[in-house]
Amino acid sequence: QVQLVESGGGLVQAGGSLRLSCAASGRTFSDYTMGWFRQAPGKERQFVAAITWSGRSRSTYYAESVKGRFTISGDNAKNTIYLQMNSLKPEDTAVYYCAAGLETGVAVIAPGRYDYWGQGTQVTVSS
């Protein structure tokens, strides 16, 4: 079992930055693929970014819409992953969810491949 708690959401103007955190408990997060997803009202849950570990190496994946603006990272000591979001746009407005799963490769973009989810944190970007 893994428990995930997100924090760091809020209201920011377009062009601004936010850093989301996802604290994991119950298991070491590096045992899993960790992902960030978002869901805007009336829309399906959308892949944002993911990170996987293999020994000391790690791989990161990003949706095209956030490449170059968002960065996913992890802190082993704190068992926490982060999503640094820069140059935010109004279309980034959504509830952001942290997730943990065992898939690797291209499967990391599919929300159905994740086993554990946090409660979500709201990000609102004003124009």
Side-chain angles (χ1 to χ4, degrees), residues 102-119:
L102 296 175
E103 297 287 350
T104 58
V106 296
V108 303
I109 70 172
R113 300 299 185 101
Y114 288 78
D115 302 304
Y116 304 100
W117 292 84
Q119 82 288 351

Side-chain angles (χ1 to χ4, degrees), residues 14-95:
S17 298
L18 282 174
R19 188 178 79 159
L20 305 183
S21 300
C22 173
S25 61
R27 290 283 298 270
T28 301
F29 72 83
S30 57
D31 289 341
Y32 293 87
T33 291
M34 299 298 296
W36 285 99
F37 289 79
R38 65 187 182 188
Q39 189 165 18
K43 295 188 176 182
E44 293 186 351
R45 194 162 294 190
Q46 178 186 49
F47 171 74
V48 175
I51 186 168
T52 64
W53 286 267
S54 178
R56 292 191 173 187
S57 66
R58 63 181 183 182
S59 299
T60 56
Y61 307 81
Y62 295 96
E64 285 296 325
S65 60
V66 307
K67 274 184 182 177
R69 300 189 298 124
F70 291 10
T71 303
I72 188 170
S73 63
D75 184 332
N76 288 347
K78 296 182 178 180
N79 216 30
T80 298
I81 64 165
Y82 303 98
L83 185 68
Q84 178 67 44
M85 305 186 295
N86 299 328
S87 302
L88 283 161
K89 304 175 182 180
E91 51 264 44
D92 294 318
T93 295
V95 177

